[in-house]
Amino acid sequence: MTGRWLNIALAVYVGLIFTFVFAPIIFSLIFSFNSQRFPTIPLGEFSTEWYVKIFNDPDVWTAVRNSLIVSSSTAVLATVLGFCTAYTDFRYNFRFKGPYLALILLPPTIPLIIMALAMLAWLSRIGMSGQLWSIILAHSVMTAPFAMAIIRLRLHQMDPDLEAAAWNLGGNEWQAMRHVIVPFCAPAIVSALCLTAAVSFDEFAVAWFVSGLNKTVPIVILEIVQGNIDPTVNAIGTFVFLTSMSLVILAQLLFISRQIKSHS
Amino acid sequence: MTEPLVTFRNVEKRFDDFVAVRDMTLDIHEGEFLAIMGSSGCGKTTTLRMLAGLDTPSAGEIRIEGRLMNDVKPHERDTPLVWQSLALFPFLTARENVEFGLKMRGVAADERKKRALDWLDRMQIVEFADRNVATLSGGQKQRVALARSLVMEPQMLLLDEPLSALDANLVIRMQGVLTRLQKELGITFVYVTHSQSEAFAMADRVVIMSQGDIAQVGSPKDIYRTPANRFVAEFVGRNNIFTGKTGGSDNGKTKVSTLQGAFLAQTPDNPPGPEKQVSFTVSADLMTLTLTEPDADNKAKATLISEEFIGSVVTVFLEGQAGQEYKVQMQERALAELDLSPGADVWLSWEAENANMLETGS
Amino acid sequence: MSGPRKIDIYALTWRLPIILWQLVFFIGPVLFMVAISFFVVKNYRMTEAFEFVNWQRMLTRGFFWDSYWYTLFIASLSATIAMLVAFPAAWALAFRASDNLRRWAVFLLIIPFFTSYLVRTFSWYVILAESGVLNAMLGYIGLGPFRMLNSHFGTIIGYLTLTLPLAVILQTVTMANVDKTLIEAARNLGCKPFATIWRIVLPLSKTGFIVAALFCFILAFGDFVAPFYLGGSQEPTLPILILDTTKSGQQWPRAAVVAIMMMVTLFTVAFTAIALAYRKPKGSKG
């Protein structure tokens, strides 16, 4: 009776939710090609003015370079740390394992602003703040749990006899690691690299606090937003969005979709 | 007899409070096919893992060729294992899997490839050499797993329920493959299984384990015909078990008075003496079923309850006068000739030589 | 491997790096932040001390407590709104959508987490402005213009940008895992659709829902972007207070006091919520 109408109503509702979620992303994309300084409806003319503007801005280029350095270094560090923890959790049982895991998994639950303040105070204290690598240090702590989770999920799928089989065939523990565990985890490792890079690439609060004069892309955005309305933000935002999305889609293609399939 | 290849001396393995293997003493000889059999949790796999160095004994000594192995790491041993899960490396091809052990041992690439292909050829799966193992069938994976272990040219191969994942007719074929390989190579196979048919079909000697203890060691025939104790008698199945008090013994036979009547049984090597509580077993296939009272040492009246067919052999279940259950195994044709229906009264009889007395206290 | 206790270099190689790393770069910062809340600032320089002056100064001021209660209120409100708004969509995705469609929907909803929150906020700023897109559209049907920025409304829109996708994802996944046969059994026994939601689906998804609400609360409670840019920070939330005291005043010790108060609050809320989520229903054993 009302089943059909209920389905239609629900479909419309879900559509509205998705509209709300994606409206800012899509509008940002549209505005980035819009000639108006203060975009509204009706839209102005198509224009690549804002792209040209950021393309010719040396500050933006520096920020892009900084962001690439920060996110790639963060990705490598966080993935190494995440891998070590995931493997330890997979292989060993020991006292204080709970606190050990909490140590790595806790940071994402702490609000960014608090993390930013704590990092700034501490890194200044030990003379490590105001550098590009200050951001890398902070981001590695914040993103390692994501890498750990992805790699742990992969190890969970591994036949626990596989490592022992390598020993049984004459490989020592290091060889088993090199020839069995790492190859088995390879897709998860690449996926973890992509995701941690994507998270680091977008992070602005902690980066802004600890970076000193070294600006990354999100910091540039933050500074533009703090000033006047400037549509170059949309152009930069589109660039950031495309970068992050390629990383996420790469991670998805490599690992996550397979994960979902094998679990359902 | 020559020096045994492997000796277990009073070996014990505990996991926290759980004793997986208790006070095990066992010799494994060069070139034999030894099966270790028992239900899950009996300690059979732990025994195998200790042999491979994957578990360390909590007490006692394990020696291989006289060398104390307790603390030798798995990779320093020559004890390749065929895993229940097969544990093939899913990211490698069949050939790369077989090469793995040689690579760990530092064998050069050409040599590795040659030896791996030789073994894949011998296992008749060389055409799948460059296929990813995930795409192979169960039987093909099995052969890759065997080749991966045997390419190491070990003096001893360990097998942990390797056939448990295969379907029934493939199991029979692989049993043939395994026995032939073992004869050809002349190396020791230590084969862990819960399956009586696999153990009895392939092994020279069978070790039966129960809750961490060895219940009996012997040839399949010994274990089948003369189970040493009640556990083995029940475990290998299709045995009729009688319990009673001993009377006089004479001419190698001992009289046992049971609730079902007095019967003669074979006097064991160490006679229990008179007035002792004992049990004896009679295999179901050594009992004879007749319509009229037979002229035999041992006989009993019984009522037919049901029949169970497995191929041409049928197991007949009967109830004795004291309410106990009897099992008789016979050819289906022979049973058909008797033309019985449930509730029919019949006679059972068996030879005194076939009544095997169990160790006292079991 | 047991036996005589030797140092297992292999095991330590995988275990130690993260311990050291997190001690220096996670525990270190957090503990140091607690420490500096007792430091004093003289002539714009922070000096080591052990005084309660910052605590006293912050906790006896009305503006701190105004901000504290306001943040608690608006974060709870936005978490509640996010949960309520998400529910019909999550219900539809969990029970009316095919597995494949649901998987895609969840994947699409993950995307926003990897796009710049700042850019999205800026986009809302433009959309919601006095002469922005939304007011222009409303103008065509003769409504408005409405003042949507620099208000609680703006703040909550910002928070929802952050929390709504998460609420939908967590609710969907939770409800999709409810045993469908239980729902069919209830319907079969004459339970009406809405009663089924109330009596079967919600009790079975309690844990997932509490966790979802908790995440929404944590995200809103700690966010400074939405209240700052969309809410106009007329009533500063605690994160804005931290930002102002750190960035402009160099008053790190006072910012630390605010941060510690926030963390204490978050942990209290989190532990209460988790205790509620895993509490056994009345009358069950154990």
Side-chain angles (χ1 to χ4, degrees):
Chain A
M1 36 148 223
T2 55
R4 200 179 129 83
W5 286 108
L6 181 65
N7 277 351
I8 291 171
L10 284 171
V12 169
Y13 189 85
V14 173
L16 282 174
I17 296 281
F18 273 81
T19 309
F20 177 82
V21 170
F22 286 96
I25 299 171
I26 291 163
F27 272 107
S28 167
L29 198 77
I30 297 172
F31 295 158
S32 74
F33 289 107
N34 186 1
S35 61
Q36 292 163 329
R37 172 152 281 272
F38 197 97
T40 186
I41 285 180
L43 289 170
E45 291 157 29
F46 177 85
S47 154
T48 51
E49 178 190 347
W50 314 115
Y51 287 94
V52 173
K53 200 173 164 194
I54 60 164
F55 192 80
N56 291 322
D57 185 344
D59 283 355
V60 171
W61 281 106
T62 316
V64 168
R65 192 192 60 114
N66 287 345
S67 272
L68 290 178
I69 294 172
V70 168
S71 58
S72 55
S73 316
T74 299
V76 172
L77 253 172
T79 304
V80 169
L81 291 170
F83 180 85
C84 293
T85 318
Y87 178 71
T88 300
D89 181 36
F90 163 78
R91 166 90 190 270
Y92 298 99
N93 263 318
F94 48 92
R95 277 207 299 166
F96 307 121
K97 190 170 173 181
Y100 171 82
L101 292 177
L103 197 61
I104 188 172
L105 293 175
L106 222 48
T109 63
I110 293 177
L112 291 175
I113 187 78
I114 298 180
M115 201 69 163
L117 171 65
M119 284 288 180
L120 170 62
W122 174 247
L123 292 179
S124 311
R125 170 76 190 190
I126 59 175
M128 287 182 159
S129 81
Q131 308 293 326
L132 215 47
W133 42 266
S134 313
I135 314 177
I136 299 171
L137 297 178
H139 279 185
S140 70
V141 170
M142 293 158 62
T143 56
F146 298 106
M148 142 88 185
I150 290 170
I151 295 167
R152 186 68 188 84
L153 220 56
R154 177 67 181 161
L155 282 170
H156 183 72
Q157 296 180 328
M158 192 174 85
D159 175 356
D161 290 338
L162 229 49
E163 193 180 17
W167 305 334
N168 181 254
L169 291 165
N172 62 32
E173 289 184 304
W174 301 98
Q175 286 175 306
M177 170 58 72
R178 154 97 177 67
H179 293 285
V180 175
I181 307 285
V182 170
F184 187 87
C185 291
I189 290 172
V190 177
S191 190
L193 285 170
C194 293
L195 284 185
T196 48
V199 172
S200 166
F201 197 78
D202 271 345
E203 203 285 325
F204 54 91
V206 177
W208 182 37
F209 270 55
V210 302
S211 63
L213 299 171
N214 302 284
K215 290 175 198 166
T216 59
V217 174
I219 300 174
V220 168
I221 297 176
L222 194 73
E223 290 186 345
I224 299 173
V225 173
Q226 274 177 319
N228 284 318
I229 296 299
D230 183 346
T232 51
V233 168
N234 294 315
I236 304 177
T238 303
F239 162 74
V240 173
F241 175 72
L242 290 179
T243 312
S244 309
M245 274 332 292
S246 351
L247 288 169
V248 175
I249 287 170
L250 201 61
Q252 157 88 2
L253 287 178
L254 276 166
F255 184 60
I256 299 169
S257 61
R258 275 193 261 174
Q259 203 68 42
I260 294 171
K261 268 180 209 149
S262 69
H263 270 269
S264 57
Chain B
M1 197 155 231
T2 53
E3 183 83 353
L5 179 64
V6 179
T7 57
F8 283 75
R9 288 287 170 270
N10 310 103
V11 172
E12 181 159 288
K13 178 63 187 175
R14 286 181 305 270
F15 295 102
D16 297 325
D17 291 339
F18 176 72
V19 183
V21 172
R22 190 182 295 109
D23 197 25
M24 171 183 267
T25 293
L26 175 72
D27 290 342
I28 301 173
H29 303 289
E30 202 159 346
E32 76 170 329
F33 195 133
L34 181 84
I36 303 178
M37 184 170 98
S39 40
S40 70
C42 72
K44 57 187 192 301
T45 297
T46 306
T47 306
L48 200 72
R49 288 178 61 89
M50 284 195 285
L51 208 46
L54 299 167
D55 284 327
T56 312
S58 312
E61 289 185 350
I62 298 177
R63 289 176 185 275
I64 298 179
E65 291 185 306
R67 177 180 169 208
L68 183 64
M69 299 301 281
N70 287 30
D71 291 320
V72 177
K73 296 228 160 160
H75 69 269
E76 290 159 348
R77 302 179 182 226
D78 179 27
T79 50
L81 174 57
V82 179
W83 303 74
Q84 180 167 18
S85 65
L86 297 185
L88 294 177
F89 303 118
F91 42 85
L92 299 179
T93 62
R95 177 168 64 78
E96 288 166 338
N97 262 282
V98 178
E99 281 185 27
F100 192 90
L102 301 172
K103 193 171 174 184
M104 294 299 107
R105 294 269 148 93
V107 176
D110 299 351
E111 173 73 8
R112 283 204 310 255
K113 184 172 178 186
K114 187 177 149 293
R115 280 165 68 181
L117 289 175
D118 278 354
W119 264 102
L120 288 169
D121 190 31
R122 189 157 180 180
M123 301 306 295
Q124 301 169 344
I125 45 170
V126 74
E127 64 265 40
F128 304 115
D130 291 317
R131 286 261 291 272
N132 186 300
V133 283
T135 64
L136 300 182
S137 73
Q140 290 161 348
K141 283 181 187 164
Q142 195 78 56
R143 287 161 190 262
V144 175
L146 274 169
R148 185 177 74 173
S149 294
L150 289 170
V151 75
M152 309 287 286
E153 295 172 0
Q155 54 183 340
M156 167 168 51
L157 180 68
L158 311 180
L159 303 103
D160 184 11
E161 309 229 15
L163 307 184
S164 59
L166 301 182
D167 52 40
N169 43 22
L170 207 51
V171 169
I172 307 282
R173 265 193 35 213
M174 285 310 292
Q175 283 180 7
V177 171
L178 286 174
T179 24
R180 205 167 56 243
L181 263 174
Q182 196 261 341
K183 292 282 172 303
E184 283 170 18
L185 298 167
I187 64 171
T188 307
F189 274 30
V190 182
Y191 188 100
V192 159
T193 182
H194 67 273
S195 154
Q196 190 184 330
S197 63
E198 283 177 26
F200 283 15
M202 293 186 282
D204 301 320
R205 273 199 315 153
V206 177
V207 177
I208 298 199
M209 292 189 68
S210 159
Q211 296 178 345
D213 293 309
I214 292 181
Q216 187 172 1
V217 184
S219 70
K221 185 166 173 260
D222 286 346
I223 287 178
Y224 191 64
R225 288 299 180 216
T226 56
N229 48 50
R230 202 178 183 96
F231 173 80
V232 176
E234 282 171 357
F235 188 73
V236 298
R238 302 296 182 240
N239 272 306
N240 294 287
I241 303 175
F242 297 82
T243 304
K245 276 212 161 56
T246 49
S249 61
D250 165 42
N251 201 16
K253 313 248 164 34
T254 300
K255 190 166 204 163
V256 182
S257 306
T258 72
L259 283 175
Q260 297 95 301
F263 303 113
L264 287 177
Q266 188 79 23
T267 308
D269 292 341
N270 45 348
E275 293 298 311
K276 285 277 154 53
Q277 181 84 13
V278 294
S279 296
F280 66 88
T281 64
V282 183
S283 295
D285 61 324
L286 295 175
M287 284 209 158
T288 313
L289 193 154
T290 49
L291 291 174
T292 53
E293 183 169 352
D295 178 25
D297 295 342
N298 297 314
K299 56 195 166 194
K301 273 184 103 161
T303 310
L304 189 132
I305 303 292
S306 64
E307 299 160 358
E308 185 185 288
F309 292 89
I310 302 168
S312 62
V313 177
V314 60
T315 304
V316 186
F317 294 90
L318 308 104
E319 190 176 285
Q321 285 173 317
Q324 80 287 9
E325 187 194 64
Y326 291 118
K327 283 166 276 187
V328 178
Q329 245 172 18
M330 57 199 296
Q331 289 294 314
E332 194 274 327
R333 241 186 24 226
L335 181 67
E337 277 167 18
L338 295 175
D339 191 25
L340 296 170
S341 51
D345 288 324
V346 294
W347 283 90
L348 298 175
S349 57
W350 59 94
E351 303 287 329
E353 299 84 84
N354 293 334
N356 157 62
M357 210 177 289
L358 302 177
E359 291 162 359
T360 46
S362 72
Chain C
M1 240 142 271
S2 62
R5 290 226 168 231
K6 281 180 287 183
I7 292 173
D8 187 343
I9 292 175
Y10 179 81
L12 291 182
T13 304
W14 306 107
R15 202 171 310 173
L16 279 185
I18 191 82
I19 296 180
L20 296 175
W21 192 264
Q22 299 294 88
L23 280 180
V24 176
F25 296 115
F26 176 51
I27 300 298
V30 171
L31 290 183
F32 188 64
M33 189 179 71
V34 176
I36 62 170
S37 73
F38 301 103
F39 289 6
V40 287
V41 178
K42 281 177 190 154
N43 302 327
Y44 301 101
R45 282 182 59 91
M46 195 167 67
T47 31
E48 286 180 28
F50 187 75
E51 291 181 28
F52 289 86
V53 54
N54 307 302
W55 285 90
Q56 199 187 7
R57 218 187 161 87
M58 292 308 283
L59 300 190
T60 55
R61 293 296 153 91
F63 77 90
F64 170 79
W65 290 108
D66 287 348
S67 168
Y68 183 88
W69 295 118
Y70 175 69
T71 314
L72 209 55
F73 164 75
I74 194 121
S76 313
L77 180 66
S78 82
T80 312
I81 293 174
M83 290 300 286
L84 290 177
V85 170
F87 183 76
W91 188 84
L93 288 173
F95 296 117
R96 294 290 167 113
S98 67
D99 285 357
N100 216 12
L101 186 65
R102 180 164 60 244
R103 221 174 281 147
W104 268 105
V106 169
F107 173 64
L108 283 176
L109 288 171
I110 290 174
I111 288 180
F113 289 103
F114 296 96
T115 64
S116 170
Y117 177 46
L118 281 173
V119 174
R120 282 185 288 153
T121 306
F122 178 75
S123 200
W124 275 122
Y125 185 87
V126 175
I127 295 169
L128 299 179
E130 206 70 58
S131 57
V133 175
L134 195 57
N135 270 325
M137 272 154 72
L138 289 171
Y140 286 121
I141 52 170
L143 293 172
F146 295 99
R147 185 169 160 272
M148 291 181 275
L149 286 176
N150 304 329
S151 66
H152 304 305
F153 178 78
T155 305
I156 286 177
I157 290 291
Y159 285 156
L160 288 182
T161 311
L162 206 55
T163 59
L164 191 60
L166 187 70
V168 178
I169 291 172
L170 290 178
Q171 288 189 6
T172 305
V173 171
T174 306
M175 285 195 284
N177 285 332
V178 169
D179 187 351
K180 299 274 189 301
T181 54
L182 290 176
I183 295 162
E184 280 160 19
R187 296 299 302 276
N188 182 257
L189 292 169
C191 200
K192 296 219 171 67
F194 284 102
T196 314
I197 292 177
W198 190 247
R199 288 172 184 279
I200 310 290
V201 178
L202 285 181
L204 286 171
S205 340
K206 189 183 79 173
T207 306
F209 273 61
I210 292 178
V211 169
L214 178 65
F215 271 116
C216 292
F217 175 81
I218 291 178
L219 282 177
F221 193 72
D223 175 42
F224 70 88
V225 175
F228 192 82
Y229 292 106
L230 300 177
S233 66
Q234 263 99 355
E235 283 181 85
T237 58
L238 294 177
I240 293 176
L241 220 52
I242 294 181
L243 190 66
D244 284 350
T245 7
T246 321
K247 277 277 173 184
S248 46
Q250 290 294 315
Q251 271 288 0
W252 294 359
R254 287 184 202 168
V257 170
V258 181
I260 294 164
M261 288 300 288
M262 277 182 75
M263 281 183 59
V264 170
T265 309
L266 277 179
F267 281 129
T268 312
V269 172
F271 279 120
T272 315
I274 288 165
L276 273 177
Y278 290 97
R279 196 182 56 183
K280 297 261 179 350
K282 277 180 206 158
S284 72
K285 285 180 189 166

